[in-house]
Amino acid sequence: MNYIDLKEQSQLEELVEKSKELPNGVLIFKHSTRCAISNMALSRFNRGWDVEQETLPVYCLDLIRYREISNKVSEQFGVQHESPQVLLIRDGKCVYTTSHNAISALDIQEQIK
């Protein structure tokens, strides 16, 4: 999986603009490197993901190192913080979110068909 690391708040602005330009938007995967559930969800997501980066860019946010950015994501898109969590951003808005064991690459792929 070829993630774009989300490490700076300025990337949020870029991400929002990209979500307006690309028909499928962009995906954010919020991941806790210290959490077994998060590691399992990320691994399962990676195994099931079958979408080209150009079709749907995937940003990965390390919640431990970049908690401030995670808080900004929750605030900006009006979603409660979860870990792990995925957010599909289209036209600058969160149009789909899920967390924990409900994270499914197939479900996300269905959202962009």
Side-chain angles (χ1 to χ4, degrees), residues 67-93:
R67 181 60 190 216
E68 188 175 303
I69 297 172
S70 175
N71 292 340
K72 180 70 175 167
V73 166
S74 295
E75 176 187 315
Q76 183 164 346
F77 298 112
V79 297
Q80 181 177 337
H81 165 76
E82 300 278 349
S83 172
Q85 182 178 34
V86 293
L87 297 90
L88 179 59
I89 310 299
R90 193 178 295 136
D91 295 322
K93 299 180 179 100

Side-chain angles (χ1 to χ4, degrees), residues 38-106:
S38 189
N39 285 320
M40 181 186 69
L42 182 62
S43 177
R44 191 175 63 236
F45 177 79
N46 286 336
R47 285 192 310 272
W49 192 247
D50 189 27
V51 176
E52 295 295 322
Q53 188 74 5
E54 298 80 31
T55 302
L56 182 68
V58 180
Y59 290 80
C60 189
L61 174 58
D62 178 341
L63 300 173
I64 304 301
R65 291 183 66 190
Y66 303 105
R67 181 60 190 216
E68 188 175 303
I69 297 172
S70 175
N71 292 340
K72 180 70 175 167
V73 166
S74 295
E75 176 187 315
Q76 183 164 346
F77 298 112
V79 297
Q80 181 177 337
H81 165 76
E82 300 278 349
S83 172
Q85 182 178 34
V86 293
L87 297 90
L88 179 59
I89 310 299
R90 193 178 295 136
D91 295 322
K93 299 180 179 100
C94 181
V95 296
Y96 173 83
T97 186
T98 194
S99 66
H100 295 85
N101 291 327
I103 295 173
S104 163
L106 291 175

Side-chain angles (χ1 to χ4, degrees), residues 26-44:
V26 301
L27 190 72
I28 301 172
F29 194 111
K30 293 171 59 177
H31 172 59
S32 171
T33 56
R34 295 183 191 158
C35 173
I37 293 172
S38 189
N39 285 320
M40 181 186 69
L42 182 62
S43 177
R44 191 175 63 236

